[in-house]
Amino acid sequence: QLQLVESGGGLAQSGGSLRLSCVASRFISNYNIGWFREAPGKGLEGVSCISASDGSTDYKESVKGRFTISRDNAKNTVYLQMNNLKPEDTARYYCAADLAENMPCVTDLNAYEVWGQGTQVTVSS
């Protein structure tokens, strides 16, 4: 059974950086992986995703140019590099796997079947 574990969250100052990691319990090279977040009082929203087939990516508009998603299939790991952090980035961040193969990734949470437990990111102003 596939399991995902996030790490790398913490406290950062506005303008700072953090790198989140999502480590899978087994081979994930065939799966699209997404990053999502849930801020206090708000619903879960898609942040970014990376496709298995060609490595194409997609980003929420508010993080474009600041966040970068990447994957290292040899390490069963997907990263989210977050630069120029803002207080509004404060949230619990989750990674998830879409088990459907040969499809471009989407940041629609309904496409994802396997979820990690999340890691907290807090950005102070």
Side-chain angles (χ1 to χ4, degrees):
Q1 182 177 356
L2 178 63
Q3 293 182 320
L4 303 174
V5 178
E6 304 92 336
S7 64
L11 178 64
Q13 290 187 334
S14 183
S17 298
L18 287 172
R19 188 176 81 157
L20 305 184
S21 298
C22 171
V23 179
S25 59
R26 60 176 177 82
F27 204 53
I28 55 168
S29 63
N30 291 341
Y31 303 144
N32 298 338
I33 303 294
W35 281 99
F36 300 83
R37 68 186 182 187
E38 186 170 28
K42 297 185 178 180
L44 195 61
E45 63 177 6
V47 175
S48 182
C49 68
I50 185 164
S51 297
S53 57
D54 60 1
S56 59
T57 60
D58 194 17
Y59 295 93
K60 176 181 174 62
E61 192 64 36
S62 63
V63 307
K64 284 182 180 178
R66 300 190 298 121
F67 290 12
T68 303
I69 190 171
S70 62
R71 65 193 301 159
D72 184 340
N73 289 330
K75 295 182 178 180
N76 295 336
T77 302
V78 175
Y79 304 99
L80 185 68
Q81 178 67 44
M82 307 186 296
N83 297 330
N84 191 20
L85 283 162
K86 302 177 179 181
E88 51 263 42
D89 295 318
T90 294
R92 190 164 186 84
Y93 285 71
Y94 300 86
C95 66
D98 174 2
L99 304 184
E101 299 184 13
N102 301 317
M103 297 287 287
C105 78
V106 294
T107 53
D108 178 357
L109 61 93
N110 293 304
Y112 294 80
E113 295 94 342
V114 180
W115 292 78
Q117 293 301 306
T119 185
Q120 179 67 35
V121 171
T122 302
V123 184
S124 62
S125 58

